[in-house]
Amino acid sequence: MISFNGLVVICLAYVAMLFAVAFTADRFARKGHSRWLRSPIVYTLSLSIYATAWTFYGAVGSAARSGLEYITIYLGPSLVMFGWWWLLRKLVRIGRSQRITSVADLISSRFGKSNLLAVLVTILSVIAATPYIALQLQSVTVSFEVFANGGGTDTGEVVGRNTAFWVAIGLAIFTVIFGTRNLDANERHHGVVMAIAVEAVVKLTALLAVGIFVVWGLAGGVSQTLEVIEASELGQWQVHGGRWAGLIFISGAAFLCLPRMFQVLVVEAADEDHLRTASWAFPAYLMAMSIFVVPIAAVGLAVLPSDANPDLFVLTLPLSQGAEGVAVLSFLGGFSSATSMVIVAAIALSTMVSNHIVMPIWLRLAGGRATISGDVRNVVLTARRVSIVSIVLLGYMYYAVSGGGSALAAIGLISFVGVVQVLPSMIGGIFWRGATRTGAVAGLVIGSVIWLYTFFLPSIGIEVFSERTLAEGPWGLGWLRPQALFGIAGLDPFLHALLWSLALNALAFFGGSVLSFPTPVERLQGAQFVNIFQHSGGPRSWSSGVAQTEDLLIMAQRILGPGEAIALFRREAERQGVRGDLPEPRPDFLETLERELAGSVGAATAHAMVGQIVGGTSVSVQDLIAVADESAQLMEYSARLEAQSAELSSTARQLREANDKLTRLSVQKDAFLSQISHELRTPMSSIRAFSEILRDSGGLSAEEQSKFASIIHDETIRLTRLLDDILDLSVMENGRVSLNMREGRLCDVLDRAVAAGSVGESDEVSLEVRRDRSTEDIVLYTDLDRLSQVFINIISNARKYCEAAKPRLTIRVREQNRALAIDFIDNGQGIPRDSRDVIFEKFARISDQRAGGAGLGLAICRQVMERLGGTITYLPGQGGAGFRVLLPRKAALAAE
Amino acid sequence: MSEPRETHSGPPVYFLERQTYRRRRLEDAARLLPVIGAFAWLVPLLWPRQGPEAPGMGNALIYIFGVWIVLALIGAILSQRLGRREPPEPVRSAEE
């Protein structure tokens, strides 16, 4: 039998080995050989601090008492790891990009860097963790006692008490040395992580060794072991359904929310990619940890006396069979489980306490000068060291006061339900942008209060609640009974507390969020957290550049240490392209600096410290409004520019069009001029020729003279008519014509026009005009002279160009829906299709034969009709040439 | 998980390259794994508690650990494949 002193020596040797491992790892890291320190395997193993002494010893005890229920504690975390793509990946990314230092920091940072929330989470975590630490100390003590009693020392109790004390001291020293080496909590604690990884291997080896010893050494093989299991009282499958599901859930949730788990899972994560390996390797580790639990329990129940404590089967079973080596290994496994948990929990909690409670208080006490004049670095380090020692000693005191015993055994679950109160804020915070600080505070407070009232306080003893209170509720209020809220009795206390605390917590979180309005910083942070995979930029928070860079450097030196601070500033200056070591206090630099500082002192504190130097101007609503205004102005300006450019281009287009038109007009004018000069030259040249004949040729007969003179006369008349027409057209085209509006009857106008159009008609070919006088009795109000001019023109055209043997012109008057249509249709050949669109142009003549006019008649008609508000168009398909004159109805009806 | 997904610039993408498509389905599988696991581990609640039908502890152990091993194997394969090509930063719409 190994002596108690021997065990102490082994234990000290083991601790020395851990120190050596941690020290070596730190040295390696400092030399830059940290590649193998950051392997995925080390990360996976470091997660094993989930398996504490509670699970190492307690799992077998739990299995012996209540069957397979123990396994749920491993199933939950396994599911969380399998679901890494959902949650852990996001959590780790957020943790790394926002330089999160703890659960409290995560929650605080997400909800607008609120220190209140950080303090709440910190207090909750400390309350929940203290009994848990006490539990670890107890387990180490008890395992010592096993050896002490077995070795014949009868002062077990005293030894135990002292053991717990010395273990606590030892752990505190180890944690202070390796846990506060570098101030930046966001940097990896290589030594600690390495030591934990080694402890994980020891734990697993120990449990596997015991398991193999039991299965193949005691039971004699797998099938025999299964027989033993079936034969024992464990043989029946008996599981409380609610507890089964509830325990899987709570263990998975606690896996995320426990400060120590968050520390190794997120804060110490060297590389996001390690999660990939851990996602399956850690569940495998947990499986290996739990695979021999039932066999050990069953064989223990069969072999050991019935009064043996099943919690210690792992230790007592090999000891009773004389397998001392296995027993010592098992002892070391339990010792490892306890110590690694305490170390990491102390680091995580001390970070929270110093960053969120000590630092803000110290900052406030020291006032505005503090960040510049005080040695912040020392303050933070001291605060963290004192916190570590206090937390470990708090655990010891809890152990000492509660006196150990069975009261502690249930503490694991109680602690879990406590820390899980953070879950709604955490999950809601990273997946729901609508989550607000108010909601988070409400949920946390309500959840914690219910947890304390229904689970924590009733568990620690009768002193807090009297029997009567438990049975009848406080002040006789039955619905407030701590273990039967709202009158729902009979639930398992664990399920009762879990359901009510989490349900009301989530409800308050949701309700508070929905009803409140977040501050700008909250909204910025919310967007950053929820959409972490879209933008990996930091939070925009510093808008003004009044900070004195030197002051910032002095402050940063005090927190980060001089070397690191100067390196950071130089790097930033280089990035900005500024000469020297001092970068401009631009917002992005301030942001980087704040994030660096946040790694040491937490987001809220870093924000406050930079804020003090930058003149207290953190992001305010005014700043945001200013930014928004600025961008609105920019948008307006650019919109104006856009409008201007659109205007410019439209003007240019108009100019181009005008230019084109001018060019076309110029061409038209040239054509018109050449046409008109041609038209004028013909009669002029004949006048000149005949007048020269009259002047120069003496012997002309009187008859000849008269003939030539009449030709000259005719040509001048033609010339005059041409000039009249041109004048008329140009007057009308320029719109300077004045209309002589009066009343008159359409039939009178037509009578006059037919009469005038027939002037000079030769007798042999007379134009027959067919009219229907009954339709023509319409009173017009228009320029009657101009209108009859149009009619005359059309009629004389018909007379001139109609080639039928018996030319006939039909005049039809018809009222169309909004106008009066007067059609003139002759029985000639009509106008060829391709000439129809030119007949209304100036000087357009279809044929040279019988060319009596200059081709201006229809052009004038069109102008006249436009002036009168009507139209004249060619009417195709009438068997001859057809023209339609449309008069607006108002011209026709105005006089009625 | 729904397609099409919004990208930072340009219209939603309706059709993806075969490789990208495969990777998205792998991600879907990785998301589903814990759901399947939770279901499988809640199945024991359906087992009869008493009587001759009730499975013994041995069978229960074999079932639960069997599920564990299968999940870990699938998880290992999935995570190995997911890491083969570093994702071109999966861009998602905000509601994801």
Side-chain angles (χ1 to χ4, degrees):
Chain A
M1 189 77 209
I2 189 163
S3 71
F4 179 73
N5 289 336
L7 195 67
V8 171
V9 170
I10 290 173
C11 216
L12 287 179
Y14 177 72
V15 170
M17 191 263 297
L18 282 187
F19 268 86
V21 165
F23 185 71
T24 317
D26 258 356
R27 276 192 48 160
F28 261 93
R30 200 156 306 174
K31 282 183 185 166
H33 307 294
S34 61
R35 208 162 55 83
W36 64 276
L37 293 175
R38 298 178 169 199
S39 72
I41 297 296
V42 171
Y43 178 71
T44 308
L45 287 175
S46 74
L47 298 185
S48 74
I49 56 150
Y50 176 75
T52 64
W54 178 45
T55 46
F56 188 85
Y57 292 122
V60 173
S62 167
R65 273 188 292 266
S66 45
L68 261 184
E69 202 175 272
Y70 81 93
I71 214 167
T72 52
I73 297 298
Y74 299 100
L75 297 187
S78 294
L79 286 177
V80 171
M81 290 308 293
F82 285 138
W84 65 293
W85 194 266
W86 283 114
L87 188 63
L88 282 177
R89 200 171 59 101
K90 193 166 193 179
L91 215 53
V92 170
R93 175 71 67 88
I94 290 173
R96 288 174 60 76
S97 72
Q98 299 280 328
R99 297 180 65 86
I100 299 293
T101 60
S102 63
V103 184
D105 198 31
L106 176 84
I107 303 291
S108 140
S109 189
R110 161 63 179 83
F111 295 104
K113 307 188 179 177
S114 148
N115 208 48
L116 171 68
L117 267 173
V119 170
L120 279 176
V121 176
T122 304
I123 292 174
L124 179 72
S125 303
V126 171
I127 294 177
T130 303
Y132 212 96
I133 292 175
L135 182 65
Q136 308 305 313
L137 296 177
Q138 185 196 19
S139 74
V140 174
T141 310
V142 171
S143 59
F144 261 113
E145 272 170 20
V146 168
F147 279 91
N149 292 339
T153 319
D154 47 21
T155 51
E157 182 64 18
V158 180
V159 168
R161 202 47 63 83
N162 286 339
T163 310
F165 181 73
W166 289 115
V167 168
I169 294 292
L171 285 175
I173 291 172
F174 180 89
T175 314
V176 165
I177 290 179
F178 293 103
T180 58
R181 206 140 232 238
N182 32 30
L183 182 53
D184 191 346
N186 202 253
E187 260 178 33
R188 275 54 296 146
H189 296 102
H190 295 288
V192 174
V193 170
M194 207 56 212
I196 292 168
V198 170
E199 293 203 293
V201 176
V202 171
K203 269 192 283 200
L204 186 63
T205 315
L207 210 52
L208 289 180
V210 176
I212 290 167
F213 168 74
V214 167
V215 172
W216 281 278
L218 289 183
V222 176
S223 52
Q224 288 91 331
T225 311
L226 283 176
E227 273 167 31
V228 173
I229 293 170
E230 296 283 346
S232 73
E233 50 195 283
L234 294 175
Q236 280 260 312
W237 165 251
Q238 272 177 335
V239 163
H240 182 287
R243 277 181 69 91
W244 178 267
L247 282 168
I248 290 181
F249 171 78
I250 191 91
S251 59
F255 185 68
L256 291 167
C257 300
L258 279 168
R260 64 172 198 277
M261 286 320 298
F262 192 87
Q263 179 79 26
V264 286
L265 208 51
V266 178
V267 181
E268 303 277 356
D271 190 338
E272 210 175 297
D273 204 44
H274 292 174
L275 206 50
R276 242 168 12 92
T277 308
S279 75
W280 59 269
F282 185 62
Y285 179 92
L286 288 181
M287 185 184 68
M289 282 292 279
S290 54
I291 200 159
F292 286 119
V293 168
V294 172
I296 294 172
V299 174
L301 284 175
V303 172
L304 291 174
S306 59
D307 64 333
N309 182 2
D311 279 335
L312 293 171
F313 276 180
V314 183
L315 216 50
T316 50
L317 201 53
L319 212 53
S320 71
Q321 303 302 315
E324 278 191 16
V326 177
V328 170
L329 191 57
S330 161
F331 168 80
L332 283 182
F335 187 73
S336 293
S337 312
T339 51
S340 57
M341 179 269 161
V342 175
I343 291 167
V344 181
I347 290 178
L349 289 175
S350 73
T351 306
M352 283 157 75
V353 169
S354 76
N355 282 357
H356 302 304
I357 295 179
V358 178
M359 284 312 291
I361 292 174
W362 184 81
L363 268 181
R364 187 155 305 174
L365 288 183
R369 305 160 287 106
T371 45
I372 300 167
S373 60
D375 193 341
V376 183
R377 184 183 166 79
N378 267 346
V379 172
V380 176
L381 275 181
T382 311
R384 203 162 286 168
R385 285 172 182 152
V386 171
S387 306
I388 288 174
V389 174
S390 315
I391 285 161
V392 176
L393 285 184
L394 205 62
Y396 169 74
M397 275 158 60
Y398 190 95
Y399 164 72
V401 170
S402 72
S406 60
L408 273 181
I411 213 77
L413 265 189
I414 294 168
S415 173
F416 273 20
V417 179
V419 292
V420 155
Q421 300 307 323
V422 177
L423 190 73
S425 308
M426 183 195 267
I427 303 293
I430 65 175
F431 285 107
W432 181 37
R433 283 187 59 179
T436 70
R437 196 181 79 104
T438 316
V441 171
L444 262 177
V445 168
I446 287 181
S448 310
V449 167
I450 294 177
W451 165 67
L452 284 172
Y453 183 69
T454 60
F455 208 24
F456 186 79
L457 293 182
S459 78
I460 59 173
I462 311 296
E463 296 83 15
V464 183
F465 291 133
S466 65
E467 290 283 355
R468 231 188 108 194
T469 310
L470 277 177
E472 296 169 19
W475 309 290
L477 295 171
W479 61 276
L480 271 180
R481 270 179 294 162
Q483 292 182 331
L485 276 186
F486 309 112
I488 300 174
L491 273 176
D492 182 82
F494 153 69
L495 272 184
H496 174 265
L498 176 68
L499 278 180
W500 284 122
S501 64
L502 260 196
L504 294 180
N505 177 340
L507 194 69
F509 170 68
F510 178 75
S513 297
V514 166
L515 293 177
S516 63
F517 197 81
T519 64
V521 183
E522 273 181 80
R523 296 170 81 174
L524 284 174
Q525 291 293 90
Q528 293 249 330
F529 274 53
V530 175
N531 303 328
I532 188 75
F533 290 112
Q534 271 154 45
H535 36 75
S536 290
R540 296 244 146 240
S541 35
W542 300 110
S543 53
S544 65
V546 294
Q548 298 298 311
T549 314
E550 256 186 89
D551 293 343
L552 286 172
L553 179 59
I554 292 167
M555 177 193 69
Q557 278 180 0
R558 302 216 186 282
I559 296 178
L560 304 172
E564 240 176 281
I566 290 177
L568 168 73
F569 275 57
R570 191 170 293 160
R571 209 165 52 234
E572 286 295 310
E574 238 167 63
R575 208 167 51 79
Q576 291 184 356
V578 180
R579 275 169 179 279
D581 290 346
L582 294 180
E584 298 281 323
R586 291 184 199 151
D588 55 340
F589 163 62
L590 292 177
E591 231 169 74
T592 314
L593 179 64
E594 191 191 319
R595 227 173 308 150
E596 286 291 330
L597 296 179
S600 299
V601 294
T605 307
H607 197 65
M609 290 174 97
V610 177
Q612 279 182 354
I613 292 182
V614 193
T617 54
S618 74
V619 146
S620 65
V621 184
Q622 281 71 28
D623 290 335
L624 283 181
I625 289 173
V627 171
D629 275 354
E630 217 167 86
S631 51
Q633 276 170 11
L634 273 178
M635 276 164 67
E636 199 191 312
Y637 182 61
S638 75
R640 264 213 308 271
L641 278 183
E642 221 168 276
Q644 276 176 7
S645 93
E647 206 175 299
L648 276 177
S649 66
S650 110
T651 311
R653 201 173 51 242
Q654 281 169 6
L655 276 176
R656 238 188 341 265
E657 279 169 8
N659 192 33
D660 288 350
K661 201 168 170 184
L662 280 176
T663 316
R664 259 185 290 120
L665 281 177
S666 155
V667 171
Q668 222 170 20
K669 188 195 73 187
D670 290 347
F672 179 74
L673 281 179
S674 74
Q675 188 77 34
I676 215 162
S677 42
H678 172 76
E679 292 294 332
L680 291 177
R681 235 181 57 198
T682 319
M684 285 301 273
S685 49
S686 86
I687 289 172
R688 207 177 81 194
F690 284 106
S691 53
E692 272 171 7
I693 291 170
L694 283 178
R695 189 191 65 193
D696 297 337
S697 336
L700 284 174
S701 64
E703 192 186 339
E704 275 174 334
Q705 274 184 6
S706 129
K707 185 185 168 196
F708 291 156
S710 73
I711 288 173
I712 292 173
H713 182 247
D714 284 350
E715 289 300 319
T716 48
I717 286 174
R718 188 174 150 198
L719 206 55
T720 314
R721 204 170 59 225
L722 184 65
L723 288 174
D724 279 347
D725 283 352
I726 289 170
L727 202 60
D728 208 14
L729 196 64
S730 104
V731 162
M732 250 176 312
E733 276 184 343
N734 290 329
R736 284 186 311 223
V737 68
S738 55
L739 294 174
N740 180 18
M741 306 293 278
R742 59 197 165 93
E743 272 183 35
R745 299 164 69 82
L746 179 60
C747 54
D748 296 343
V749 180
L750 280 172
D751 284 345
R752 216 163 50 230
V754 170
S758 309
V759 167
E761 198 173 56
S762 51
D763 289 337
E764 71 266 29
V765 195
S766 86
L767 182 70
E768 180 196 355
V769 177
R770 290 190 177 173
R771 289 166 61 184
D772 183 358
R773 286 185 176 276
S774 65
T775 58
E776 291 169 4
D777 191 17
I778 293 170
V779 180
L780 301 172
Y781 180 75
T782 184
D783 188 328
L784 298 175
D785 295 335
R786 288 288 181 189
L787 188 60
S788 74
Q789 186 189 353
V790 172
F791 291 164
I792 290 166
N793 215 305
I794 297 171
I795 292 166
S796 59
N797 270 357
R799 189 170 55 81
K800 266 189 274 184
Y801 299 116
C802 185
E803 284 154 348
K806 285 188 175 173
R808 189 173 65 230
L809 180 72
T810 314
I811 300 175
R812 283 199 307 244
V813 178
R814 219 179 330 170
E815 280 197 53
Q816 287 197 329
N817 40 2
R818 294 214 163 263
L820 187 67
I822 305 141
D823 294 346
F824 299 85
I825 299 156
D826 65 21
N827 59 346
Q829 287 180 329
I831 296 169
R833 180 179 294 270
D834 52 352
S835 306
R836 283 173 195 164
D837 51 348
V838 296
I839 50 177
F840 294 106
E841 297 300 323
K842 286 168 271 193
F843 302 111
R845 272 174 305 196
I846 301 167
S847 59
D848 292 331
Q849 50 170 326
R850 289 200 260 166
L856 287 173
L858 283 174
I860 292 172
C861 286
R862 196 179 60 169
Q863 286 295 333
V864 169
M865 286 317 294
E866 266 176 33
R867 293 289 143 208
L868 296 180
T871 55
I872 177 167
T873 49
Y874 182 74
L875 204 58
Q878 301 295 325
F883 290 91
R884 165 165 289 177
V885 175
L886 273 178
L887 272 175
R889 169 150 273 189
K890 73 177 196 300
L893 291 182
E896 278 185 5
Chain B
M1 257 194 274
S2 61
E3 272 165 85
R5 295 171 199 224
E6 297 275 337
T7 53
H8 271 310
S9 56
V13 179
Y14 286 92
F15 295 102
L16 301 162
E17 253 179 275
R18 186 182 177 80
Q19 221 180 354
T20 318
Y21 182 89
R22 282 266 61 93
R23 193 186 159 83
R24 295 267 162 91
R25 299 294 79 78
L26 269 180
E27 289 171 11
D28 292 347
R31 286 193 183 91
L32 198 64
L33 191 63
V35 180
I36 293 172
F39 177 78
W41 275 331
L42 289 178
V43 162
L45 296 183
L46 304 174
W47 295 343
R49 304 279 158 82
Q50 250 94 42
E53 299 280 304
M57 180 65 115
N59 291 336
L61 275 179
I62 289 167
Y63 173 77
I64 288 173
F65 281 95
V67 170
W68 217 326
I69 290 169
V70 169
L71 286 179
L73 282 180
I74 297 174
I77 292 167
L78 282 180
S79 70
Q80 201 254 336
R81 293 223 170 155
L82 276 171
R84 197 173 280 170
R85 194 166 48 84
E86 200 49 33
E89 222 33 72
V91 180
R92 301 261 149 69
S93 50
E95 62 268 10
E96 194 196 357

